[in-house]
Amino acid sequence: MPNFQYGFSMMMTKIIISIVLLGFTTLGFADDTLNTKNLTLTQLYDQLISLHLGRKGYTLGANLSPAQKETSVSHLVEGASPGTYKFIDGNLAVVADATTHRVMLLFEKFDDVSSQTIHDLVGSLFMDYDEPTTSAHDKIIYWAYDAKGKISSQKFQKIKSQKKKPDILATVKLNSSLEVLGREPTTDKGEAYYIISSPPLLKQFHLD
């Protein structure tokens, strides 16, 4: 278990850094223009709850249920940043606020899985979140949200054409080692992960 915990902590750190420092800027996202500077932490959480972003019974910004808290106690992972804790529920990794027990981040990784499994995952995310905001290389898919809801691809392209940066409150990101958009499943195997997070929330906890 220690090796798994260390590996998970290192993997989470690298992914969070890649999202905040690389993913958003590469695709035109940024967190330096967010209109969330004057929000209290509670207000930020409440805005995130209103977006209804979650998986497997967990919702970004929402309080853990009593059952989820019990799971967190028995499946804690070492190496959490100050003010947070991490745990595993099945294959889903959860980062929560240590004071309020609200969900800060959801992450699930699939290693050495079939192309069909990755396609099924993509289909599941499309069912949950509908059409994405943007994508890259047929391997990376983003659903981006501001305080009003999901940013459509049309709105995103308009903002980008005006050389502006959208105010991102939260994102769902899928990253696959195999091309999945516009492709039929193959016999190849690969890996994929999705992560549901909020740049301004991560910034509040100095995870950026």
Side-chain angles (χ1 to χ4, degrees):
M1 182 61 70
N3 289 336
F4 170 76
Q5 292 175 337
Y6 176 78
F8 172 78
S9 298
M10 292 298 294
M11 179 173 60
M12 286 294 296
T13 300
K14 290 179 180 178
I15 288 174
I16 289 173
I17 290 173
S18 70
I19 288 172
V20 177
L21 297 184
L22 299 176
F24 295 114
T25 54
T26 299
L27 294 179
F29 298 140
D31 62 350
D32 57 350
T33 59
L34 284 164
N35 296 319
T36 55
K37 295 179 181 178
N38 297 323
L39 290 179
T40 65
L41 186 58
T42 298
Q43 289 172 327
L44 180 54
Y45 276 131
D46 289 344
Q47 280 200 1
L48 291 172
I49 292 173
S50 71
L51 298 177
H52 306 290
L53 303 178
R55 297 282 287 180
K56 301 184 176 180
Y58 293 88
T59 301
L60 189 66
N63 292 97
L64 296 176
S65 69
Q68 290 168 343
K69 287 181 182 178
E70 289 184 11
T71 300
S72 73
V73 172
S74 58
H75 293 80
L76 276 177
V77 176
E78 295 178 356
S81 298
T84 74
Y85 60 94
K86 306 173 186 176
F87 65 96
I88 302 293
D89 187 346
N91 195 47
L92 181 69
V94 182
V95 178
D97 185 324
T99 301
T100 63
H101 305 288
R102 293 199 186 217
V103 176
M104 298 176 59
L105 184 148
L106 298 171
F107 170 80
E108 190 168 16
K109 192 170 189 294
F110 302 82
D111 292 310
D112 193 29
V113 294
S114 68
S115 172
Q116 183 64 61
T117 297
I118 296 176
H119 274 74
D120 289 345
L121 172 62
V122 172
S124 175
L125 292 173
F126 269 72
M127 287 290 292
D128 286 346
Y129 308 116
D130 204 5
E131 292 297 319
T133 302
T134 188
S135 61
H137 315 299
D138 294 328
K139 296 180 179 181
I140 303 173
I141 306 172
Y142 275 99
W143 291 262
Y145 296 78
D146 59 20
K148 296 180 180 179
K150 189 179 68 178
I151 299 173
S152 67
S153 59
Q154 293 84 359
K155 181 178 178 179
F156 175 73
Q157 290 302 325
K158 182 178 180 180
I159 293 172
K160 193 173 179 180
S161 68
Q162 295 172 341
K163 297 184 178 180
K164 296 179 180 179
K165 294 177 179 178
D167 292 333
I168 303 298
L169 179 61
T171 64
V172 178
K173 174 189 177 183
L174 173 110
N175 194 322
S176 168
S177 64
L178 303 177
E179 294 182 349
V180 290
L181 290 178
R183 301 288 194 279
E184 292 295 325
T186 67
T187 57
D188 295 333
K189 286 193 172 185
E191 60 183 35
Y193 71 80
Y194 69 81
I195 184 164
I196 303 173
S197 63
S198 165
L201 182 59
L202 297 180
K203 197 177 187 70
Q204 290 237 14
F205 282 81
H206 306 290
L207 295 176
D208 59 339

